[in-house]
Amino acid sequence: MKSKVEAILRNTINDLIDKGDIPGIELNDDIVEVPPNKDLGDFATNIAMVMASKTKKAPREIAGIIADAMSSYQEIFEEVAIAGPGFINLYIKPAYWVNILRDIHIQKERFGTSNHGAKKKVQIEFVSANPTGPLHIGHGRGAAVGDTLARILTATGFDVQKEYYINDIGNQMEILGRSVFLRYLELCGQKKPFPEDGYQGEYIKDLASELKQGYGEKLLTYSTDDAIEASKEFAGKKMLDGIRHDLDMFDVSFDNWFRESALFKEGKIENTLSWLKDKGLIYEHDGALWFRTAKFGDEKDRVIRKQDGSLTYFASDIAYHKDKLQRGFKWIIDIWGADHHGYVPRMKAAIEAFGANADCFHALLIQLVSLVRAGTPVSMSTRAGEFVTLREIVDEVGKDATRYFFLMRRCDSHLEFDIELAKKRNEENPVFYIQYAHARICSILKKASKEGLTPDIKNADLGRLTTGDDLGLIKILAAYPTLLISCASALEPHRISFYLMDLASSFHRFYNKNRVISDDKDLTLARLTLIEAVRQVISNALWLMGIGAPEVM
RNA sequence: GCCCCCGUAGCUCAGGGGAUAGAGCACAGGAUUCCUAAUCCUGGUGUCGCAGGUUCGAAUCCUGCCGGGGGCACCA
């Protein structure tokens, strides 16, 4: 609805500017807003004030000219009023509002989608945890945010690919191989001191035990290097399988799994380095190879090949991102933990070095999750082997509540995850409050259906939906498509959870005050179409969050 | 020392140039012969961390400071 009003306003203003009735200015993207309270209309614009401040004219005079022109859209606006210092307040006719119900009934699960993204190719890379341990709760937040963002971007018309980058080589994998092999040796009765930097977790012992089941004591006959290599292969594969399984259980899927090792196998690292060399963007210094990232706004140049001849992870990352650009993505979104924020400037530098605009790369930084269990903070550290896995949380509180909690705060805000609250099956817990609204509607529809009454948009007399409660619900439904576009533009999925709370609470209030099924058959039929529309939108929004919409609770 | 994020009601957090700053929870009282009471209604709070600045207008933008968290490797 907002976009319709905005289109009308835009046309009206441009006509007036062409005629010379009002001063000409460039119109921003956002010219229509929703006023802070209902008395001030359904929509409002401050455009007259903006024009006035730029041209030193009286804002209310300009507002008057625009308001007069807007008033000619009589089928849409009930009233166009000038208020305060120069706001133009727009009141939509009830008969026009109800049209949104027709849209919902026709589009069903597609309601809310748009072509805002114009099929722009966007890649969103997230989770990308090293296969050296199970996913923990921090990965879970990244997974929920990434997956939901991908769904939102798809819904708003982007051509989205979800990718997981597997660091399947390098130091961390070596440590995994050694750690598992040492535990294997213990199982074979050859206990050796466990190194400081080894992985301490119990899961390493589980892997060692599986390794022993697979190989028996055969690894004892291998050279140490070969045994570690075999352990690494075995453990890496097992861990990756486990990660895939955990993500699957969390309703998170990927379109592509990209292995770091493939960059080496396919010569992409070498190609990238020689490309950079041709461009004069790398140089030797102190026996290392440096990339001139400072030239592109980074605070200093970065090493890509160390003195000892081995490559840094940055070398892989630049080759990886060059590959992303070559695959044709116009918008590259990486979801990282906030502790990687220092890495952003050098990655942007790399993107620019490849000739792309730095704006096409966006690192979304996810802040920490602090877990609260019975009032006690639970600390997490992979190294110490003392962490709470995603799987444990999902097993305990369920997938729906877990995803909701991960998505209910802005990404750059620390998240306090209260396990006890997430487990509650009552009003204190927002996710159940929302799901309950959905189940309640299903229950009413079921009862109506037994009486032979079903929502029928073609025959319903929507003119009967005239009370403030009816229209209040309709207005929230009408805001849904705009909400999704704002989530996509700002990369802020948490807005959906606030929207759902608003919609669910409006429905519960409506339910307690009004009867859907009554003796008034026409009103009943009209309201059945209304609540079916509410159900549809709740279901659509929950789907974007990866949360189920139960019919019975 | 430098950089990034955060600081809004008792708690957890929305709002990120615009009109009287909001929600959930917590707390207290009330509502069910009737579509799910897992619900609803009624109660009230704020030096928007502090101080300057920009603006017709600042919780919002800029600068400085204070407090919390995180980063500043030829680690990943």
Side-chain angles (χ1 to χ4, degrees), chain A residues 410-532:
Chain A
R410 308 164 45 119
C411 297
D412 50 15
S413 198
H414 287 231
L415 171 69
E416 184 167 295
F417 191 120
D418 187 329
I419 298 178
E420 297 310 315
L421 175 59
K423 276 160 69 178
K424 282 187 179 166
R425 263 61 177 167
N426 65 26
E427 70 208 301
E428 288 174 54
N429 185 347
V431 65
F432 286 96
Y433 180 84
I434 293 162
Q435 289 182 316
Y436 182 55
H438 186 271
R440 216 173 201 185
I441 292 169
C442 290
S443 169
I444 301 169
L445 291 171
K446 207 164 154 190
K447 181 181 164 75
S449 162
K450 278 180 189 158
E451 296 171 25
L453 300 167
T454 52
D456 178 358
I457 197 71
K458 288 199 195 81
N459 297 315
D461 178 7
L462 301 181
R464 295 298 307 277
L465 302 173
T466 54
T467 70
D469 290 345
D470 292 302
L471 286 171
L473 273 175
I474 290 170
K475 289 176 186 183
I476 296 171
L477 298 175
Y480 182 65
T482 310
L483 167 85
L484 294 191
I485 290 170
S486 82
C487 289
S489 306
L491 299 179
E492 289 188 352
H494 75 278
R495 297 184 189 191
I496 294 183
S497 68
F498 283 87
Y499 174 82
L500 274 171
M501 278 302 284
D502 188 26
L503 179 55
S505 86
S506 294
F507 170 74
H508 285 310
R509 199 177 319 125
F510 175 90
Y511 172 89
N512 273 276
K513 220 168 124 189
N514 305 281
R515 288 198 63 78
V516 174
I517 301 168
S518 66
D519 296 338
D520 184 339
K521 196 178 173 197
D522 286 344
L523 182 61
T524 300
L525 287 171
R527 282 192 166 153
L528 285 173
T529 65
L530 172 60
I531 66 164
E532 164 58 19

